[in-house]
Amino acid sequence: MSQTPFVTVFAIYPNLTQLDFTGPHQVLSRLPGATTIVASRDGGEIEAEGGLVIGRTRKLSEIERCDLICVPGGSAATETALDEEFVAEVRRLALGAKYITSVCTGSLILGAAGLLQGKRAACHWAWRGLLTEFGAIPDPARVVRDGNIFTGGGVTAGIDFAFTMLAEIAGEGYAKALTLGLEYAPAPPYGCGRPELADDDTLRRVSGNMDKVMAQRIAEAKEAGARLSRYAVSP
């Protein structure tokens, strides 16, 4: 008798950051004997930031269960945290999963689903403070584990997160082999990928762009956080 496959579900939504999804997907889809499902609220096509269209997604409501759920981030993360249908499906699947995971601002959606109360979690540096709206404890680490919850920081941290998950599930040797197979050896031309590493001018420029949407994101996070009373406790 064959073993039940390990099921990974990526829960995606319009205007997600595609690398938050495609980076981890490239790694986690290589889990031995695994089934990887890409799903959305309504199924069908999802347009990511930059216009990339992800096709043939399944409807979240049609997926019975999964072993790992991953929610990527994106410019619409706090808006999506107010999508009650999407959040409810994420919560349903997460409560039955062995691993609950996210990348970047996807952790804000996990928070809106009542899954991070009292838990340490990572997020993109610019929006990390919004985790407190959901009773979570912001953690600046690139990959954070708290029990069965694994969260990655901003965008490219999703690949590090995925290799961490791969080692957890399939073993360190397998994770190392795939690291070599994918030639994962980051060597960025500019070492300013975190605020503490960036020069003042670069930090001001990026922070200024973030400030343009900060008020809206804070308002959406506060509204989503106010809805948490529907959940008694997180798992």
Side-chain angles (χ1 to χ4, degrees), residues 133-157:
E133 299 294 338
F134 308 105
I137 303 166
D139 191 316
R142 195 159 167 85
V143 180
V144 176
R145 177 179 189 172
D146 193 327
N148 71 328
I149 298 173
F150 290 73
T151 51
V155 192
T156 60

Side-chain angles (χ1 to χ4, degrees), residues 190-223:
Y190 304 106
C192 56
R194 291 177 64 94
E196 62 270 23
L197 301 176
D199 60 86
D200 291 343
D201 181 64
T202 299
L203 184 57
R204 279 195 299 269
R205 179 179 299 185
V206 176
S207 296
N209 288 334
M210 301 295 187
D211 287 345
K212 295 174 184 177
V213 294
M214 182 64 76
Q216 177 184 344
R217 301 271 178 94
I218 290 174
E220 289 168 344
K222 285 184 177 295
E223 183 178 348

